[in-house]
């Protein structure tokens, strides 16, 4: 953690984001800052594994797309072939 991050509810939060949430986003909502950060931490804990899976799949797909384009380098664009890919 650096001087520009804070540890809140087990999360490392950039100070400007923390300040924005606490001073601008939450006032008037009736939600206490502690409850917001605890809720966010719970959401992240719940969804982080699936998000990591999705990001890995995105990387796999992007690598396949990149490889396809490299294999087609110098050839005329074949829309049917690209769509079939």
């Amino acid at each position: 953690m650096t001087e520009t991050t804070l540890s809140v509810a087990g999360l490392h939060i950039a100070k400007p984001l923390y300040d924005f949430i606490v001073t601008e986003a939450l006032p008037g909502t009736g939600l206490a800052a502690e409850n917001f950060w605890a809720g966010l931490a719970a959401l992240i804990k719940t969804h982080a594994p699936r998000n990591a899976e999705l990001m890995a799949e995105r990387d796999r797909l992007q690598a396949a797309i990149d490889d396809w384009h490299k294999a087609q380098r110098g050839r005329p664009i074949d829309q049917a072939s690209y769509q079939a890919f």
Side-chain angles (χ1 to χ4, degrees), residues 46-84:
T46 298
H47 297 288
R50 179 66 176 141
N51 187 59
E53 291 172 5
L54 292 170
M55 294 302 292
E57 177 65 3
R58 183 246 174 247
D59 289 344
R60 185 193 69 75
L61 290 170
Q62 188 62 60
I65 292 166
D66 293 346
D67 290 345
W68 189 90
H69 282 288
K70 288 175 189 173
Q72 306 306 313
R73 186 174 287 143
R75 298 180 186 173
I77 296 172
D78 179 352
Q79 188 65 31
S81 175
Y82 185 61
Q83 285 180 307

Side-chain angles (χ1 to χ4, degrees), residues 7-44:
S7 180
V8 182
L11 302 172
H12 297 289
I13 307 295
K15 183 151 177 20
L17 176 60
Y18 177 86
D19 291 343
F20 169 76
I21 294 296
V22 172
T23 64
E24 295 185 44
L26 291 179
T29 66
L31 182 62
E34 297 78 21
N35 292 338
F36 171 83
W37 295 114
L40 178 60
L43 282 170
I44 291 171

